[in-house]
Amino acid sequence: MTTPRPGLRERKKQATREALREAALRLAVERGPDQVRVEDIAEAAGVSPRTYNNYFASREQAIVAAVTADREARIAEAVAARPAGVRLADAVTEAVVEQYTNTGEREHEALLLITTRTTLRDAFLDATADIEPPLAAVIAERLGDAGAHTARVLAASVAAAVRIALEGWLQPAGDAGNAGNAGNSGGLVVPSGPLPDQLRAALSPLAPALDAAERRTQP
C-alpha cells in the first residue's frame, strides 16, 4: 500500500501536533503532570489554547501522545509491508508486538509518568481505539472490496485485545483478579509480566477469525 505524501496544510497540522505533544511531555517531566495546564502546553508550543483544543481534549491526551504518537499508523504500515504469503493473523500480531515493545528512551520516560497517574493510564488505554481505522483499511485492502465490514470488525477486535493486554500489564501489584480496573488505582503501577507475552495471549483468540476472513478471499 502506497501512502501519498501529505500536502502543506496537513504537514503544518502534523508539525503543530508534534510540538504540542513534545511540549506536554517536557513540561510533565519538569513539573509533574498535575502541575501542567493546557495553557502552559499551548504557550510552550507557540499556539493558543483554542488551537490546542483542536488537537487534544485534555493535557493527559497530549502527554500520552508522546508515547503513542503515530503508533496506529505504524501498525497498519507494518501489516501492509508483510509479504502476501504471510498469514494475516501473524502479520497483525507481529506488527502490534513490534510497535508496542520497540520503544526508545523518550517513550520509556513517558511510560514512567503514565504508570504514576490514574488519569494518564486511562488516556493511555483509551488510545488503543485509534488502532482501528488505519488497521481496518489495511485489512480491507487485503480482503478485497467485499471485506470492508469484516475488516472493521476485525480491527476493532484487535484494538480491544490490545487494550485488555495493556490493562493486564499495568494492573497494580497484588490485584491480579481485577485487571479490568487497573485504571482505578492511584500511585505507581509496576508493569506485570513481559508485554510481548501479554499482547500475544490477548490476540491469539482472534487468529481463527482472521484466518477465516483470509480464506474467504482465496480462489
Side-chain angles (χ1 to χ4, degrees):
M1 182 177 68
T2 302
T3 302
R5 187 171 184 269
L8 178 60
R9 183 181 180 204
E10 189 58 36
R11 293 200 301 273
K12 286 183 176 179
K13 288 173 64 177
Q14 182 62 22
T16 299
R17 185 181 299 275
E18 290 175 1
L20 286 168
R21 68 194 184 208
E22 293 300 328
L25 176 59
R26 176 173 57 80
L27 293 174
V29 170
E30 291 174 354
R31 306 178 184 179
D34 295 338
Q35 304 305 315
V36 178
R37 303 176 305 159
V38 165
E39 291 80 3
D40 299 329
I41 300 171
E43 181 179 0
V47 301
S48 68
R50 181 177 179 180
T51 297
Y52 176 98
N53 291 329
N54 290 333
Y55 291 87
F56 298 106
S58 67
R59 66 182 178 187
E60 287 79 16
Q61 276 191 2
I63 294 169
V64 165
V67 68
T68 64
D70 306 320
R71 178 181 283 162
E72 63 276 6
R74 295 198 304 272
I75 289 172
E77 289 167 2
V79 172
R82 295 295 195 279
V86 174
R87 180 179 170 223
L88 179 58
D90 292 337
V92 169
T93 299
E94 294 311 310
V96 168
V97 171
E98 177 183 291
Q99 294 303 323
Y100 267 90
T101 58
N102 290 348
T103 56
E105 182 178 348
R106 185 176 68 91
E107 287 81 4
H108 281 298
E109 192 172 38
L111 279 171
L112 285 174
L113 284 176
I114 288 166
T115 60
T116 66
R117 297 293 189 282
T118 300
T119 52
L120 288 176
R121 295 200 296 272
D122 289 344
F124 182 64
L125 293 172
D126 288 344
T128 58
D130 294 334
I131 294 171
E132 180 184 342
L135 182 58
V138 169
I139 295 176
E141 182 169 319
R142 185 153 173 170
L143 299 182
D145 294 338
H149 178 73
T150 297
R152 288 186 60 193
V153 173
L154 292 172
S157 300
V158 169
V162 171
R163 180 181 179 115
I164 289 169
L166 293 175
E167 285 176 347
W169 187 59
L170 290 172
Q171 71 184 43
D175 197 20
N178 199 27
N181 293 322
N184 294 332
S185 176
L188 176 66
V189 171
V190 180
S192 58
L195 181 55
D197 292 349
Q198 302 240 15
L199 288 167
R200 292 180 194 282
L203 290 166
S204 63
L206 301 181
L210 289 162
D211 288 342
E214 194 168 31
R215 280 196 300 270
R216 286 199 293 270
T217 68
Q218 296 172 352

